[in-house]
Amino acid sequence: MSDPSFESPINKLPGAVVLLCVAMIGVEAGLSFAEAGIIGGPGAIGWRLGLVRDFGFSGEIFDAMWDTGRWSVDHLLRFVTYPFIHLSFSHSIFAIVLTLALGKMVAEVMGQAVMLAVWLLSGVIGAFFYALLLNDPVWLAGAYPNAYGLIGAYSYVMWRTLGAAGEQQLRAFSLIAMLMGLQLIWSLFASIGNGWVADLAGFFGGFAMCFLLAPGEWRRIVARLRQRG
């Protein structure tokens, strides 16, 4: 018989968060086992590169579609498939941890559907601006723009909370400022590439989406429009 007073030390995660993280962990586990020689045989060492080529996001491919006006469904799907493929085991860890922690918070405050929409669309926005602003031949892979979108949603919640309490709302952006600062410091010692452009675009996309998707926000917008009318 279970003790009704017993509380699990691990808080229950929303199903949408679990689904996203299981998908990322599953892909990474398969690739890591392949690189370790546990599955797939000698040819498995190239699985990761093959997945990046087949499902990663290429700014050059996007530019070619933009220039020709020919939009391939297979290539457009890269906007939503690239976050599930990471460049290494270590590359995947931070993105998964951010999705777990911030995804749980966003889902609990705004609902699982909103959290899922923010995660997915932030990745799309990040890839779009990566292609639009840069001419970088490096392919985009990994869920960092998506995770930064969740940071944007978290910042939005903090921004609203601080505003309601009459406190300084700029404090809501302390997390993104810290992460961008860490990236700047790290860039002094190693080349980090231009992925930060997609990350930052994902952050602003996640923050902006909350003005439409967060519970009650749409009613506020309609009320303000009626007042002005």
Side-chain angles (χ1 to χ4, degrees), residues 177-192:
M178 180 189 70
L179 290 173
M180 287 291 103
L182 288 174
Q183 284 203 5
L184 178 61
I185 293 172
W186 183 246
S187 68
L188 299 176
F189 303 96
S191 175
I192 61 173

Side-chain angles (χ1 to χ4, degrees), residues 43-103:
I45 194 71
W47 283 3
R48 189 184 299 274
L49 184 60
L51 284 181
V52 171
R53 181 192 62 225
D54 294 338
F55 299 102
F57 180 82
S58 168
E60 292 183 327
I61 291 177
F62 178 83
D63 289 343
M65 291 192 296
W66 183 285
D67 292 338
T68 61
R70 298 177 181 177
W71 300 96
S72 165
V73 174
D74 290 341
H75 289 318
L76 289 175
L77 284 175
R78 295 175 182 272
F79 277 99
V80 294
T81 57
Y82 83 86
F84 295 96
I85 307 154
H86 293 84
L87 302 178
S88 66
F89 176 78
S90 59
H91 185 237
S92 70
I93 293 299
F94 192 50
I96 293 172
V97 169
L98 282 176
T99 299
L100 279 170
L102 294 169

Side-chain angles (χ1 to χ4, degrees), residues 8-30:
S8 172
I10 302 176
N11 293 329
K12 185 178 180 181
L13 290 168
V17 177
V18 173
L19 181 65
L20 289 174
C21 291
V22 166
M24 288 189 286
I25 291 170
V27 172
E28 184 55 42

Side-chain angles (χ1 to χ4, degrees), residues 147-167:
Y148 272 67
L150 293 179
I151 296 174
Y154 167 81
S155 300
Y156 170 85
V157 172
M158 294 299 298
W159 183 73
R160 279 295 190 196
T161 302
L162 291 169
E167 298 183 28

